[in-house]
Amino acid sequence: MHTPRTGLLALTLALCAAGTQAGDIEKAVDYRQGLMNVYVYNVTAMGNMVKGKTPFDPTAFARHAKDLATAARLDLLAGFPEDSINDESDADDKIWLDWDKFQQKNQALRKESARLAEIAKGGDETAMKTQFKKTAKTCKGCHDNFKH
Amino acid sequence: MHTPRTGLLALTLALCAAGTQAGDIEKAVDYRQGLMNVYVYNVTAMGNMVKGKTPFDPTAFARHAKDLATAARLDLLAGFPEDSINDESDADDKIWLDWDKFQQKNQALRKESARLAEIAKGGDETAMKTQFKKTAKTCKGCHDNFKH
């Protein structure tokens, strides 16, 4: 039976559901952008050393490499629930249209950053710079495909 | 010898240094706020289960506990270079006036979240909830002292 009252109830429930969903998406966006900030902070610090913008400090480099590898182990994909796009997000639709590829890109970051952290322990500047470039390519590789 | 030209050079260098410093502070603030977002995402998901706002799912809880412990191992303190306060920041001056205490609070989060991740592997709901509360207290313990 459809009365104004049940109609109002249905509308209220629908709005509540929409509100929860919007809240969840906002949380997910905050989370993934937060995690990206953690990546960026460490990648930038290492990149500045590689480019000679700041002096090469193997100990600091190794610390950033370790933190990047640690952050890469966090569940980034959880920050991309289906169609979690809002006005604050640069995420591209292709993420959900080609989820397998997106996952592979995430795995590439994990693999290369773990290798970078391992190499950085050894303190060989040339090896660190070479592996840094491979790691940074995984950022670019993903952004080229999935960020607009 | 102080000529207008050397004066200009000194001024330019000073402005560049100030610019770099401002950029570094902005990066540090973005980093620490990003890392806080990662904490918040995981703490909120577990908190909602503990409060019964969402169904208790031990597997999801354990995943969030593991990610919180992993994120807590990252170098949060690097996000607080001396006097890195800007308009976007809720950080309180007391952080730098009582750095030892701030470090202790960070250690408390690391310790309790590591314990939470360990307990969560066992799947005992009561134990998980008890340890979650201890972990959440370390957030509050730090915010009460150092966030305004």
PDB file of all heavy atoms in Angstrom, chain B residues 4 7 9 16 18 22 28 32 44 46-48 56 58 61 87 101 104 113-115 117 122 125 138-140 146 148:
ATOM      1  N   PRO B   4      74.667  47.978  -3.626  1.00  0.00           N
ATOM      2  CA  PRO B   4      73.276  47.630  -3.904  1.00  0.00           C
ATOM      3  C   PRO B   4      73.168  46.258  -4.572  1.00  0.00           C
ATOM      4  O   PRO B   4      72.266  45.503  -4.308  1.00  0.00           O
ATOM      5  CB  PRO B   4      72.824  48.752  -4.847  1.00  0.00           C
ATOM      6  CG  PRO B   4      73.693  49.915  -4.466  1.00  0.00           C
ATOM      7  CD  PRO B   4      75.019  49.319  -4.095  1.00  0.00           C
ATOM      8  N   GLY B   7      73.621  43.539  -2.087  1.00  0.00           N
ATOM      9  CA  GLY B   7      72.418  43.586  -1.247  1.00  0.00           C
ATOM     10  C   GLY B   7      71.253  42.884  -1.915  1.00  0.00           C
ATOM     11  O   GLY B   7      70.534  42.106  -1.296  1.00  0.00           O
ATOM     12  N   LEU B   9      71.520  40.568  -4.212  1.00  0.00           N
ATOM     13  CA  LEU B   9      71.822  39.140  -4.249  1.00  0.00           C
ATOM     14  C   LEU B   9      71.442  38.476  -2.920  1.00  0.00           C
ATOM     15  O   LEU B   9      70.792  37.419  -2.886  1.00  0.00           O
ATOM     16  CB  LEU B   9      73.312  38.929  -4.546  1.00  0.00           C
ATOM     17  CG  LEU B   9      73.777  37.468  -4.565  1.00  0.00           C
ATOM     18  CD1 LEU B   9      73.133  36.723  -5.730  1.00  0.00           C
ATOM     19  CD2 LEU B   9      75.296  37.388  -4.655  1.00  0.00           C
ATOM     20  N   CYS B  16      64.751  33.047  -1.723  1.00  0.00           N
ATOM     21  CA  CYS B  16      64.756  31.674  -2.217  1.00  0.00           C
ATOM     22  C   CYS B  16      64.736  30.700  -1.047  1.00  0.00           C
ATOM     23  O   CYS B  16      63.999  29.719  -1.043  1.00  0.00           O
ATOM     24  CB  CYS B  16      66.008  31.395  -3.061  1.00  0.00           C
ATOM     25  SG  CYS B  16      65.904  32.157  -4.679  1.00  0.00           S
ATOM     26  N   ALA B  18      63.664  31.217   1.949  1.00  0.00           N
ATOM     27  CA  ALA B  18      62.348  31.269   2.605  1.00  0.00           C
ATOM     28  C   ALA B  18      61.331  30.479   1.788  1.00  0.00           C
ATOM     29  O   ALA B  18      60.498  29.760   2.328  1.00  0.00           O
ATOM     30  CB  ALA B  18      61.906  32.719   2.759  1.00  0.00           C
ATOM     31  N   ALA B  22      59.242  27.297   3.031  1.00  0.00           N
ATOM     32  CA  ALA B  22      57.778  27.256   2.998  1.00  0.00           C
ATOM     33  C   ALA B  22      57.316  26.021   2.234  1.00  0.00           C
ATOM     34  O   ALA B  22      56.388  25.339   2.642  1.00  0.00           O
ATOM     35  CB  ALA B  22      57.245  28.527   2.336  1.00  0.00           C
ATOM     36  N   ALA B  28      55.678  18.726   4.263  1.00  0.00           N
ATOM     37  CA  ALA B  28      55.628  17.979   5.517  1.00  0.00           C
ATOM     38  C   ALA B  28      54.193  17.919   6.051  1.00  0.00           C
ATOM     39  O   ALA B  28      53.742  16.879   6.540  1.00  0.00           O
ATOM     40  CB  ALA B  28      56.555  18.628   6.554  1.00  0.00           C
ATOM     41  N   ARG B  32      52.089  14.518   6.715  1.00  0.00           N
ATOM     42  CA  ARG B  32      51.576  14.062   8.013  1.00  0.00           C
ATOM     43  C   ARG B  32      50.055  13.995   7.999  1.00  0.00           C
ATOM     44  O   ARG B  32      49.457  13.095   8.603  1.00  0.00           O
ATOM     45  CB  ARG B  32      52.099  14.937   9.150  1.00  0.00           C
ATOM     46  CG  ARG B  32      51.493  16.312   9.259  1.00  0.00           C
ATOM     47  CD  ARG B  32      52.287  17.172  10.215  1.00  0.00           C
ATOM     48  NE  ARG B  32      51.675  18.447  10.471  1.00  0.00           N
ATOM     49  CZ  ARG B  32      52.366  19.552  10.741  1.00  0.00           C
ATOM     50  NH1 ARG B  32      53.677  19.530  10.776  1.00  0.00           N
ATOM     51  NH2 ARG B  32      51.741  20.685  10.996  1.00  0.00           N
ATOM     52  N   THR B  44      38.531   4.218  11.930  1.00  0.00           N
ATOM     53  CA  THR B  44      37.085   4.407  11.796  1.00  0.00           C
ATOM     54  C   THR B  44      36.395   3.093  11.409  1.00  0.00           C
ATOM     55  O   THR B  44      35.343   2.755  11.963  1.00  0.00           O
ATOM     56  CB  THR B  44      36.778   5.480  10.727  1.00  0.00           C
ATOM     57  OG1 THR B  44      37.461   6.677  11.085  1.00  0.00           O
ATOM     58  CG2 THR B  44      35.289   5.771  10.638  1.00  0.00           C
ATOM     59  N   MET B  46      37.342   0.037  12.011  1.00  0.00           N
ATOM     60  CA  MET B  46      37.309  -0.854  13.181  1.00  0.00           C
ATOM     61  C   MET B  46      36.366  -0.305  14.245  1.00  0.00           C
ATOM     62  O   MET B  46      35.592  -1.058  14.845  1.00  0.00           O
ATOM     63  CB  MET B  46      38.715  -1.024  13.761  1.00  0.00           C
ATOM     64  CG  MET B  46      39.624  -1.878  12.890  1.00  0.00           C
ATOM     65  SD  MET B  46      41.244  -2.222  13.661  1.00  0.00           S
ATOM     66  CE  MET B  46      42.122  -0.682  13.347  1.00  0.00           C
ATOM     67  N   GLY B  47      36.420   1.006  14.454  1.00  0.00           N
ATOM     68  CA  GLY B  47      35.561   1.641  15.465  1.00  0.00           C
ATOM     69  C   GLY B  47      34.085   1.410  15.175  1.00  0.00           C
ATOM     70  O   GLY B  47      33.292   1.164  16.084  1.00  0.00           O
ATOM     71  N   ASN B  48      33.718   1.493  13.901  1.00  0.00           N
ATOM     72  CA  ASN B  48      32.316   1.254  13.533  1.00  0.00           C
ATOM     73  C   ASN B  48      31.881  -0.172  13.877  1.00  0.00           C
ATOM     74  O   ASN B  48      30.738  -0.391  14.280  1.00  0.00           O
ATOM     75  CB  ASN B  48      32.108   1.527  12.039  1.00  0.00           C
ATOM     76  CG  ASN B  48      32.101   3.017  11.728  1.00  0.00           C
ATOM     77  OD1 ASN B  48      31.900   3.853  12.620  1.00  0.00           O
ATOM     78  ND2 ASN B  48      32.325   3.362  10.473  1.00  0.00           N
ATOM     79  N   PHE B  56      30.222  -6.876  12.823  1.00  0.00           N
ATOM     80  CA  PHE B  56      31.600  -7.246  13.170  1.00  0.00           C
ATOM     81  C   PHE B  56      32.093  -8.315  12.199  1.00  0.00           C
ATOM     82  O   PHE B  56      31.537  -9.404  12.120  1.00  0.00           O
ATOM     83  CB  PHE B  56      31.691  -7.761  14.615  1.00  0.00           C
ATOM     84  CG  PHE B  56      33.104  -7.883  15.085  1.00  0.00           C
ATOM     85  CD1 PHE B  56      33.776  -6.781  15.594  1.00  0.00           C
ATOM     86  CD2 PHE B  56      33.788  -9.088  14.985  1.00  0.00           C
ATOM     87  CE1 PHE B  56      35.098  -6.875  16.005  1.00  0.00           C
ATOM     88  CE2 PHE B  56      35.113  -9.188  15.387  1.00  0.00           C
ATOM     89  CZ  PHE B  56      35.771  -8.082  15.900  1.00  0.00           C
ATOM     90  N   PRO B  58      35.495 -10.234  11.493  1.00  0.00           N
ATOM     91  CA  PRO B  58      36.860 -10.407  12.031  1.00  0.00           C
ATOM     92  C   PRO B  58      37.951 -10.342  10.957  1.00  0.00           C
ATOM     93  O   PRO B  58      39.051  -9.858  11.236  1.00  0.00           O
ATOM     94  CB  PRO B  58      36.825 -11.785  12.692  1.00  0.00           C
ATOM     95  CG  PRO B  58      35.552 -12.431  12.287  1.00  0.00           C
ATOM     96  CD  PRO B  58      34.626 -11.371  11.791  1.00  0.00           C
ATOM     97  N   PHE B  61      38.338  -6.691  10.062  1.00  0.00           N
ATOM     98  CA  PHE B  61      38.931  -6.037  11.234  1.00  0.00           C
ATOM     99  C   PHE B  61      40.439  -6.311  11.268  1.00  0.00           C
ATOM    100  O   PHE B  61      41.246  -5.395  11.465  1.00  0.00           O
ATOM    101  CB  PHE B  61      38.260  -6.570  12.510  1.00  0.00           C
ATOM    102  CG  PHE B  61      38.613  -5.814  13.754  1.00  0.00           C
ATOM    103  CD1 PHE B  61      37.731  -4.886  14.286  1.00  0.00           C
ATOM    104  CD2 PHE B  61      39.826  -6.021  14.406  1.00  0.00           C
ATOM    105  CE1 PHE B  61      38.051  -4.177  15.442  1.00  0.00           C
ATOM    106  CE2 PHE B  61      40.156  -5.317  15.554  1.00  0.00           C
ATOM    107  CZ  PHE B  61      39.270  -4.397  16.077  1.00  0.00           C
ATOM    108  N   ASP B  87      48.430  27.543   8.072  1.00  0.00           N
ATOM    109  CA  ASP B  87      47.005  27.785   8.293  1.00  0.00           C
ATOM    110  C   ASP B  87      46.167  26.520   8.196  1.00  0.00           C
ATOM    111  O   ASP B  87      45.048  26.460   8.694  1.00  0.00           O
ATOM    112  CB  ASP B  87      46.477  28.802   7.264  1.00  0.00           C
ATOM    113  CG  ASP B  87      47.097  30.165   7.486  1.00  0.00           C
ATOM    114  OD1 ASP B  87      47.683  30.367   8.558  1.00  0.00           O
ATOM    115  OD2 ASP B  87      47.008  31.016   6.579  1.00  0.00           O
ATOM    116  N   LYS B 101      57.804  13.986  24.811  1.00  0.00           N
ATOM    117  CA  LYS B 101      56.476  13.464  25.092  1.00  0.00           C
ATOM    118  C   LYS B 101      55.756  13.103  23.786  1.00  0.00           C
ATOM    119  O   LYS B 101      55.055  12.093  23.699  1.00  0.00           O
ATOM    120  CB  LYS B 101      55.662  14.516  25.876  1.00  0.00           C
ATOM    121  CG  LYS B 101      54.364  13.976  26.426  1.00  0.00           C
ATOM    122  CD  LYS B 101      53.708  15.008  27.322  1.00  0.00           C
ATOM    123  CE  LYS B 101      52.348  14.569  27.809  1.00  0.00           C
ATOM    124  NZ  LYS B 101      51.720  15.606  28.638  1.00  0.00           N
ATOM    125  N   GLN B 104      57.008   9.893  22.626  1.00  0.00           N
ATOM    126  CA  GLN B 104      56.451   8.798  23.447  1.00  0.00           C
ATOM    127  C   GLN B 104      55.040   8.437  22.982  1.00  0.00           C
ATOM    128  O   GLN B 104      54.657   7.273  22.945  1.00  0.00           O
ATOM    129  CB  GLN B 104      56.405   9.199  24.920  1.00  0.00           C
ATOM    130  CG  GLN B 104      57.764   9.172  25.613  1.00  0.00           C
ATOM    131  CD  GLN B 104      57.744   9.951  26.930  1.00  0.00           C
ATOM    132  OE1 GLN B 104      56.672  10.204  27.499  1.00  0.00           O
ATOM    133  NE2 GLN B 104      58.909  10.339  27.409  1.00  0.00           N
ATOM    134  N   SER B 113      49.082  -0.591  18.406  1.00  0.00           N
ATOM    135  CA  SER B 113      48.547  -1.049  17.112  1.00  0.00           C
ATOM    136  C   SER B 113      49.208  -2.354  16.679  1.00  0.00           C
ATOM    137  O   SER B 113      48.556  -3.208  16.059  1.00  0.00           O
ATOM    138  CB  SER B 113      48.703   0.039  16.034  1.00  0.00           C
ATOM    139  OG  SER B 113      50.062   0.329  15.783  1.00  0.00           O
ATOM    140  N   ALA B 114      50.489  -2.523  17.012  1.00  0.00           N
ATOM    141  CA  ALA B 114      51.165  -3.791  16.699  1.00  0.00           C
ATOM    142  C   ALA B 114      50.500  -4.928  17.486  1.00  0.00           C
ATOM    143  O   ALA B 114      50.266  -6.023  16.961  1.00  0.00           O
ATOM    144  CB  ALA B 114      52.650  -3.692  17.047  1.00  0.00           C
ATOM    145  N   ARG B 115      50.193  -4.645  18.735  1.00  0.00           N
ATOM    146  CA  ARG B 115      49.535  -5.651  19.598  1.00  0.00           C
ATOM    147  C   ARG B 115      48.136  -5.960  19.050  1.00  0.00           C
ATOM    148  O   ARG B 115      47.700  -7.113  19.030  1.00  0.00           O
ATOM    149  CB  ARG B 115      49.480  -5.084  21.015  1.00  0.00           C
ATOM    150  CG  ARG B 115      48.839  -5.946  22.041  1.00  0.00           C
ATOM    151  CD  ARG B 115      49.832  -6.516  23.063  1.00  0.00           C
ATOM    152  NE  ARG B 115      49.166  -7.485  23.976  1.00  0.00           N
ATOM    153  CZ  ARG B 115      49.066  -8.771  23.716  1.00  0.00           C
ATOM    154  NH1 ARG B 115      49.572  -9.302  22.623  1.00  0.00           N
ATOM    155  NH2 ARG B 115      48.445  -9.570  24.576  1.00  0.00           N
ATOM    156  N   ALA B 117      47.141  -5.775  15.925  1.00  0.00           N
ATOM    157  CA  ALA B 117      47.277  -6.596  14.708  1.00  0.00           C
ATOM    158  C   ALA B 117      47.542  -8.050  15.088  1.00  0.00           C
ATOM    159  O   ALA B 117      47.011  -8.978  14.465  1.00  0.00           O
ATOM    160  CB  ALA B 117      48.411  -6.049  13.844  1.00  0.00           C
ATOM    161  N   GLY B 122      44.151 -13.765  15.830  1.00  0.00           N
ATOM    162  CA  GLY B 122      43.513 -14.859  16.577  1.00  0.00           C
ATOM    163  C   GLY B 122      42.001 -14.908  16.402  1.00  0.00           C
ATOM    164  O   GLY B 122      41.375 -15.942  16.628  1.00  0.00           O
ATOM    165  N   GLU B 125      36.840 -11.977  19.303  1.00  0.00           N
ATOM    166  CA  GLU B 125      36.156 -10.685  19.191  1.00  0.00           C
ATOM    167  C   GLU B 125      36.321  -9.816  20.441  1.00  0.00           C
ATOM    168  O   GLU B 125      36.606  -8.619  20.336  1.00  0.00           O
ATOM    169  CB  GLU B 125      34.664 -10.919  18.896  1.00  0.00           C
ATOM    170  CG  GLU B 125      33.909  -9.642  18.642  1.00  0.00           C
ATOM    171  CD  GLU B 125      32.467  -9.874  18.179  1.00  0.00           C
ATOM    172  OE1 GLU B 125      32.183 -10.918  17.563  1.00  0.00           O
ATOM    173  OE2 GLU B 125      31.620  -9.002  18.462  1.00  0.00           O
ATOM    174  N   THR B 138      45.375   5.833  22.381  1.00  0.00           N
ATOM    175  CA  THR B 138      46.665   6.468  22.052  1.00  0.00           C
ATOM    176  C   THR B 138      46.454   7.612  21.052  1.00  0.00           C
ATOM    177  O   THR B 138      47.202   8.582  21.072  1.00  0.00           O
ATOM    178  CB  THR B 138      47.707   5.459  21.482  1.00  0.00           C
ATOM    179  OG1 THR B 138      47.305   5.018  20.188  1.00  0.00           O
ATOM    180  CG2 THR B 138      47.893   4.278  22.409  1.00  0.00           C
ATOM    181  N   CYS B 139      45.432   7.493  20.179  1.00  0.00           N
ATOM    182  CA  CYS B 139      45.104   8.612  19.273  1.00  0.00           C
ATOM    183  C   CYS B 139      44.646   9.788  20.120  1.00  0.00           C
ATOM    184  O   CYS B 139      45.163  10.900  20.002  1.00  0.00           O
ATOM    185  CB  CYS B 139      43.971   8.247  18.308  1.00  0.00           C
ATOM    186  SG  CYS B 139      44.272   6.766  17.334  1.00  0.00           S
ATOM    187  N   LYS B 140      43.657   9.497  20.967  1.00  0.00           N
ATOM    188  CA  LYS B 140      43.070  10.547  21.785  1.00  0.00           C
ATOM    189  C   LYS B 140      44.135  11.152  22.715  1.00  0.00           C
ATOM    190  O   LYS B 140      44.209  12.371  22.888  1.00  0.00           O
ATOM    191  CB  LYS B 140      41.910   9.976  22.605  1.00  0.00           C
ATOM    192  CG  LYS B 140      41.075  11.038  23.287  1.00  0.00           C
ATOM    193  CD  LYS B 140      39.891  10.440  24.038  1.00  0.00           C
ATOM    194  CE  LYS B 140      39.072  11.527  24.734  1.00  0.00           C
ATOM    195  NZ  LYS B 140      39.840  12.461  25.549  1.00  0.00           N
ATOM    196  N   PHE B 146      48.287  17.605  21.867  1.00  0.00           N
ATOM    197  CA  PHE B 146      49.076  18.249  20.818  1.00  0.00           C
ATOM    198  C   PHE B 146      48.279  18.753  19.611  1.00  0.00           C
ATOM    199  O   PHE B 146      48.855  19.187  18.624  1.00  0.00           O
ATOM    200  CB  PHE B 146      50.169  17.287  20.337  1.00  0.00           C
ATOM    201  CG  PHE B 146      51.169  16.944  21.399  1.00  0.00           C
ATOM    202  CD1 PHE B 146      51.311  15.653  21.878  1.00  0.00           C
ATOM    203  CD2 PHE B 146      51.971  17.935  21.928  1.00  0.00           C
ATOM    204  CE1 PHE B 146      52.237  15.340  22.855  1.00  0.00           C
ATOM    205  CE2 PHE B 146      52.906  17.641  22.910  1.00  0.00           C
ATOM    206  CZ  PHE B 146      53.043  16.345  23.385  1.00  0.00           C
ATOM    207  N   HIS B 148      44.997  21.259  18.332  1.00  0.00           N
ATOM    208  CA  HIS B 148      44.005  22.230  18.797  1.00  0.00           C
ATOM    209  C   HIS B 148      42.974  22.482  17.715  1.00  0.00           C
ATOM    210  O   HIS B 148      43.091  22.019  16.598  1.00  0.00           O
ATOM    211  CB  HIS B 148      44.669  23.529  19.260  1.00  0.00           C
ATOM    212  CG  HIS B 148      45.526  24.188  18.216  1.00  0.00           C
ATOM    213  ND1 HIS B 148      45.037  24.824  17.118  1.00  0.00           N
ATOM    214  CD2 HIS B 148      46.874  24.267  18.111  1.00  0.00           C
ATOM    215  CE1 HIS B 148      46.037  25.308  16.399  1.00  0.00           C
ATOM    216  NE2 HIS B 148      47.158  24.969  16.954  1.00  0.00           N
TER     217      HIS B 148
END
